[in-house]
Amino acid sequence: MLPTAPASSQNALVAVQEKAYFDWSKHFQKDLPVSLEIGCGKGSFAVEFSRRNPEKNLVAVERNANIIVSALMAADAAEPQPTNLLFLHSPCEVLPRYFRPGSVQEIFLNFSTPLPKGPYVRQRLTHPRFLALYQEMLVPGGKIYLKTDSRDFFEYSKEQFAESGFNVLRAETDLYRSDLIEINIQTEYERRFVNMGLPIYEIIAEKKE
């Protein structure tokens, strides 16, 4: 697992100001384009993505310490163990501390908590304050892939992407009836929702050149 901010820098505003950019050559075996999953859960997507994409390095981020332990165990149990996957225990707000501007090729937001609007809306991972962070970290033309089971979060996110300077390339209201299902990697939450007969929504947004 990648080293995180020291305890004295846990305040997000302070931590972001104290840059500690990762030198990927010291952490990954190969110098490959970097992808980022924010909210990796128990790691099923991260492990399978790494297996399918040996030409990419993936950093899987999770803020819940107990859950990221499960993700680490899933990676350790994989055969063969992925060499292009690293985990980072960090809140989303602190990510610009570690990632240089324009250093991330793509970002995956898989079933982020669809917090209710009102006082909690700022905690949604597609709120403009987070989209500004993604804009900073992404390369020109870099993409964000979002999946959710919440129609409200889907509509909100689609609107925020468009208003925050992203091109919305795809907005699918039923992933499993679209051609995107051919390359889909199912997550733990997704499997549960599909078994319940719920539709899965997906957005692909692109940072403008």
Side-chain angles (χ1 to χ4, degrees):
M1 188 163 68
L2 291 164
T4 55
S8 60
S9 298
Q10 287 305 304
N11 179 276
L13 293 177
V14 174
V16 169
Q17 292 172 2
E18 298 175 354
K19 300 299 184 186
Y21 294 137
F22 287 125
D23 179 355
W24 299 121
S25 66
K26 295 180 179 179
H27 298 288
F28 285 111
Q29 289 188 8
K30 296 181 181 179
D31 182 16
L32 302 171
V34 174
S35 301
L36 177 62
E37 183 189 9
I38 300 176
C40 70
K42 295 181 180 179
S44 63
F45 175 91
V47 171
E48 180 61 16
F49 178 90
S50 300
R51 185 188 69 80
R52 291 191 194 182
N53 298 277
E55 77 286 0
K56 299 178 181 180
N57 288 327
L58 176 67
V59 180
V61 179
E62 176 57 53
R63 70 179 302 154
N64 187 306
N66 292 328
I67 293 177
I68 202 169
V69 169
S70 296
L72 288 165
M73 293 174 63
D76 285 341
E79 291 292 345
Q81 288 190 2
T83 59
N84 58 337
L85 171 61
L86 292 172
F87 291 95
L88 175 63
H89 177 217
S90 172
C92 185
E93 294 92 331
V94 183
L95 293 180
R97 166 185 169 88
Y98 305 113
F99 292 85
R100 295 182 185 277
S103 63
V104 175
Q105 299 290 319
E106 56 192 354
I107 295 174
F108 296 91
L109 301 174
N110 292 318
F111 297 91
S112 307
T113 304
L115 294 162
K117 294 180 181 178
Y120 298 100
V121 71
R122 281 179 53 83
Q123 301 304 316
R124 286 183 164 184
L125 289 184
T126 52
H127 185 274
R129 72 188 186 103
F130 289 115
L131 294 184
L133 303 184
Y134 310 152
Q135 283 271 18
E136 179 183 346
M137 292 187 291
L138 282 169
V139 300
K143 293 180 176 60
I144 297 179
Y145 298 85
L146 177 148
K147 288 195 293 184
T148 181
D149 66 305
S150 168
R151 181 66 186 241
D152 174 70
F153 186 62
F154 168 79
E155 296 292 350
Y156 169 85
S157 299
K158 184 170 61 173
E159 179 180 312
Q160 298 307 314
F161 280 128
E163 293 182 357
S164 298
F166 287 87
N167 292 319
V168 177
L169 304 180
R170 299 284 296 266
E172 298 293 336
T173 57
D174 193 340
L175 170 62
Y176 282 71
R177 292 179 181 269
S178 79
D179 61 311
L180 293 176
I181 195 60
E182 296 177 5
I183 57 173
N184 183 57
I185 298 175
Q186 200 174 65
T187 72
E188 311 96 53
Y189 282 114
E190 183 176 350
R191 189 174 304 112
R192 183 192 312 169
F193 298 141
V194 170
N195 289 338
M196 293 169 62
L198 298 175
I200 303 300
Y201 305 91
E202 179 162 12
I203 297 173
I204 303 176
E206 179 185 60
K207 177 181 175 179
K208 294 180 180 179
E209 298 281 352

